[in-house]
Amino acid sequence: MKPTVIRSIKSQQKLSRQIIASGKTIAIVPTMGFLHDGHLSLIKKAKVKADLVVTTIFVNPTQFAPHEDFDRYPRDTKNDIRKIGSVGGQIVFMPRADEIYPDNFQSWVVVDKLTGLLEGASRPNHFRGVTTIVSKLYNIVRPDYAIFGMKDYQQAMVLKRMTSDLNWPIKFIIAPTVREPDGLAMSSRNKYLSGAHRSEATALIKALRFGRKMVRAGEMSASEIKREMKKIITKSAPSGLIDYITLTDMDSLETVRNIRGKTVASLAVKFGKVRLIDNILLK
Ligand code: AMP
């Protein structure tokens, strides 16, 4: 079925009020559009949980730095709406940027510690943009469930913290990363990889899986694991520029030296102008 497209904040608020008054539940799936099977897996998960799934499409300007790819970020709304309908998503909320950020907008939501490293270290202010837009979407849509992808691991952890810290009565769900057959994590940005870079990009998951294999074989030293992962990327992706390879505690995101509890390996690698991130649970 074709989903209903809502553009104005007022209309979305009115709909959410009606749904809540009728005793039904709402799930939100925030996205920046140009949807792929990873996004659709979140919508499918949301469908299992709630009566009404609101997929939001908003390329959020405040989470991009001036030198980043906001203007080049891929957009294909018509196909996005069709794809959302194909998995049973009922509502597409696509607010206008000038209604979300009117002149003189000056209120921000900030999560402190968790945003200091990994993506936060490489992209200052990025998470301030993410936490602010998700707060606004929560307030407009008033969901019972919010679904995010493990693909953006730090983002998921930051938003989980925020949801709990600010007492939103929302069940926070993190869904697994959906991958291409060769293991590359699906991402709207993959379309910008040149042919050669696309083949080299499989080095990310190769390195991550090798790291996991080392841990399974008993290696507990983070520096050893990182060294081997780096070797794989340097060899299999000679044109990739490594931004970081980091092993962190799953929940606190603190850097790990010796692996004990649940540990995630994350990395960011740049191919030309395209920056890819991925991660894996090592243990
Ligand atoms: P984006 O449109 O890139 O902002 O992503 C919107 C949501 O989809 C976020 O919660 C992402 O973590 C999630 N997502 C993106 N790529 C994938 C993927 N390959 N598998 C699962 N979820 C994903």
Side-chain angles (χ1 to χ4, degrees), residues 29-33 35-39 41-42 63 73 147-153 155 175-179 185-189:
V29 180
T31 82
M32 297 207 297
L35 303 184
H36 49 64
D37 286 352
H39 297 114
S41 76
L42 307 187
Q63 70 190 65
Y73 198 84
I147 330 283
F148 294 90
M150 181 67 180
K151 160 75 174 30
D152 299 278
Y153 151 65
Q155 169 175 283
T177 302
V178 176
R179 299 180 178 281
M186 289 190 182
S187 162
S188 309
R189 290 185 170 103

Side-chain angles (χ1 to χ4, degrees), residues 183-197:
L184 178 68
M186 289 190 182
S187 162
S188 309
R189 290 185 170 103
N190 290 350
K191 113 181 188 97
Y192 289 127
L193 290 168
S194 68
H197 288 169

Side-chain angles (χ1 to χ4, degrees), residues 139-150:
N139 287 338
I140 297 164
V141 175
R142 296 172 63 195
D144 301 279
Y145 300 88
I147 330 283
F148 294 90
M150 181 67 180

Side-chain angles (χ1 to χ4, degrees), residues 84-115:
I84 292 166
S86 77
V87 290
Q90 301 101 322
I91 305 293
V92 183
F93 177 47
M94 299 197 316
R96 289 175 226 278
D98 58 359
E99 207 190 355
I100 291 287
Y101 297 114
D103 287 347
N104 211 21
F105 178 87
Q106 49 191 296
S107 306
W108 301 95
V109 178
V110 173
V111 172
D112 256 343
K113 249 169 51 190
L114 289 179
T115 57

